[in-house]
Amino acid sequence: MSNLGIPDEIIETVLKQHDIVDVISKYVHLSKQGRNLKGLCPFHSEKTPSFTVSPDKQIFNCFGCGIGGNVVKFMMEIENYSFPEAIQQLSEDADIPFLWHNQSDHPEQQKEKSDLLRAHELSQTLFHYILKNTAHGKVALEYLNNRGFSLKLMNQFQIGYAPSMRNTLTEFLHKRDFSLSLMEQGGLLSETGQQQHVDRFRDRIIFPIANARGKVIAFAGRALGDGQPKYLNSPETILFNKSKTLYNFYQAKSEIRRTGRIVLFEGYADVIKAWDAGVLNGVATMGTAVTREHVTTLKRYADQIILCFDGDEAGQTAAIKNLSILEKMKFQVYVAMLPDQMDPDEYITAHGSDRFKKEIVENAVTATKYKILFLRKRFRLNDANERLRYIRSSIKIIAELESPTEREHYIKEIANDFDYSFETLKQEMFEIRQEAEKKHFKGDNNVNRWNNVMNGSGREVVPSLLPAFHNAEKNLLAIMMHSREITTYVEKEIGDQFNVEVHGAIAAYLYAFFAQHEKPDISKFLTMLRNDELENVASSISLIGDNHATNSKVIDDYIKQIKNNSQKHIIKQKRLERDQAERAGDYIRAAEIGKEIITLERNHK
């Protein structure tokens, strides 16, 4: 057993049953290039393909962002799965029986998760049935119909209704032998105080919330009458974390991946009505601001995001607050402009689906344009001083843009709007950028750092090449990955004397791998690492191949370079120890270290 309690034979079977090219081709368009295949990386934005897949080694690696690994690692990255979730999904896809015990979870906790998932699925079925087929759900059904929710839409999103009685769901779950205490912990029931349980959701329209795999993990309930709160979500549980969950992500992700674009809404109804209007890439947060976890998930699927929040003051302010984290993650951010303080649902009802798609979603403004428009409302532009303050504040926003073309575009817009000279405003922006650059480099020991970073042509100076020992270690590791015999030889000659820490760690894993396996298998070896940095570096090194290992002299030359640098490092450390001993007045110890240094230097020569 290894890897969080999953049997090795399950992992090996999963790797054998899934060809990495077949799996990745579902997400990335790959083209043949020699023995490998190439495509645009799904994990970062690029125009020239640097994402490489090796059918021979059953690995992938992106030379742009550095991510690499086997088919399991790819599923973890592309679907935001944990290691066990990726193995489970791949097992299900290949009809491989999958039973495992996660070492981080006790067996009873695994059972609790399983019971809660089953209970949520059954609860969804119950709520949906009550809405469509009972007298209790009649009022809710009429309300939804009046709001423009068709039966087809209710089925698509499995919308339901929780009746006003206290024990409908409680009795339903109790009859099916679920622990009511566990159901309360999972957010389906509430405790009254006398160890009695009642339904958490009562007289509410129910919106199921699914995880990235489409499993229902929580509910959102909208009060049908004047009940408070208007919206009631499931609490955070072992299944549900609102900072990581996006409503409708499971249904929307294929369209998000296809278009490279996400439309982010504030509410469930907005997502559903937009879906009906043909916007199939819409998701919503769980009543929170966009979190880093949300953004990390979305970035794996798209580079462009449109914020489609309510047109009122609160919605516009929320859009401004979310722009920062999205721009930091290098999203191309746009903001849909809704008129008359409408929300998306209201706009679609009033103006129809076509106008919503064309005039609101497809006509969204850039983040910079939105910031300037948002800022404009904060100033009284008929006052000369206020107008100047607004113009300077806008220029500060524009000055932060990296693209000279974009900066010029927005400066021209302001110049035209207020009848100012373009050159004057451009000079103002130049001075703001100069001031910002001074602050950025303030306190740096090298006062000419800016000149050192950029050469005369305005291009960044290319960093120096890696030292010889660094490349020797990479080349040697690449050969070791293909040969048990050479790995055993290297272990005897070098052991842990690799100079680069990550290379030493990979070597140690190779020693352990070939102690257990006769034949090389890079995909299986990568599964052993279970560390992002090690997997990324190892997959990149493996693509070097072993063709350069023409004879044993090549291996010995690499070993010699590595040992030489290791010896230099040891000598350097010894000199530091000698100097410290001298400063401490321990001259006997300093003399002893001096003798060691002489011996080391003689051997090195």
Side-chain angles (χ1 to χ4, degrees), residues 70-288:
N70 58 17
V71 68
V72 180
K73 177 68 178 298
F74 180 82
M75 289 301 292
M76 290 170 66
E77 292 293 333
I78 201 76
E79 296 289 3
N80 200 25
Y81 288 161
S82 65
F83 181 83
E85 286 173 337
I87 292 289
Q88 183 172 359
Q89 184 63 56
L90 290 167
S91 296
E92 290 175 3
D93 292 345
D95 294 324
I96 302 167
F98 181 74
L99 295 171
W100 69 284
H101 155 52
N102 187 342
Q103 292 176 355
S104 66
D105 289 340
H106 297 296
E108 59 268 24
Q109 190 173 30
Q110 282 297 318
K111 185 178 184 306
E112 287 175 359
K113 286 183 177 179
S114 177
D115 285 351
L116 281 172
L117 283 170
R118 192 159 61 91
H120 276 82
E121 184 181 3
L122 289 170
S123 299
Q124 172 191 258
T125 303
L126 175 67
F127 292 143
H128 188 58
Y129 177 84
I130 290 171
L131 174 70
K132 290 174 60 181
N133 301 288
T134 71
H136 296 296
K138 188 176 180 182
V139 175
L141 193 60
E142 288 177 357
Y143 171 83
L144 287 167
N145 283 327
N146 291 335
R147 287 284 304 273
F149 289 81
S150 65
L151 194 60
K152 180 183 176 183
L153 212 52
M154 294 180 215
N155 289 335
Q156 178 77 43
F157 289 87
Q158 285 293 290
I159 299 170
Y161 173 68
S164 56
M165 293 85 79
R166 290 164 56 90
N167 297 303
T168 304
L169 184 61
T170 303
E171 291 177 4
F172 175 82
L173 295 172
H174 181 61
K175 285 178 182 177
R176 285 155 180 77
D177 296 325
F178 286 101
S179 161
L180 297 188
S181 176
L182 176 62
M183 297 301 101
E184 185 262 326
Q185 292 173 39
L188 292 171
L189 308 179
S190 297
E191 193 173 0
T192 60
Q194 295 87 31
Q195 293 189 329
Q196 299 294 314
H197 293 91
V198 297
D199 297 0
R200 176 180 177 83
F201 298 99
R202 299 195 297 276
D203 195 23
R204 289 180 180 272
I205 293 169
I206 300 295
F207 300 93
I209 299 167
N211 62 15
R213 296 181 62 204
K215 305 290 185 183
V216 179
I217 56 172
F219 293 105
R222 188 198 188 284
L224 192 57
D226 297 324
Q228 292 297 323
K230 183 179 178 182
Y231 279 97
L232 177 67
N233 289 348
S234 294
E236 298 222 340
T237 67
I238 56 175
L239 297 181
F240 176 55
N241 182 329
K242 64 184 179 181
S243 295
K244 295 180 179 179
T245 308
L246 289 158
Y247 180 70
N248 196 47
F249 180 66
Y250 175 72
Q251 290 196 113
K253 64 183 178 181
S254 61
E255 182 70 5
I256 290 171
R257 188 184 291 116
R258 188 186 71 80
T259 61
R261 177 189 290 180
I262 304 144
V263 183
L264 183 65
F265 295 95
E266 286 188 277
Y268 316 109
D270 294 334
V271 170
I272 296 168
K273 290 296 286 291
W275 179 284
D276 198 37
V279 180
L280 307 182
N281 51 347
V283 298
T285 57
M286 303 288 105
T288 66

Side-chain angles (χ1 to χ4, degrees), residues 153 172 216 249 292 300 336 350 365 407 427 499 554 571 573:
L153 212 52
F172 175 82
V216 179
F249 180 66
R292 188 166 187 83
R300 291 176 177 146
V365 300
R407 293 198 299 267
Q427 178 62 30
N499 298 279
V554 173
I571 292 168
Q573 288 297 114

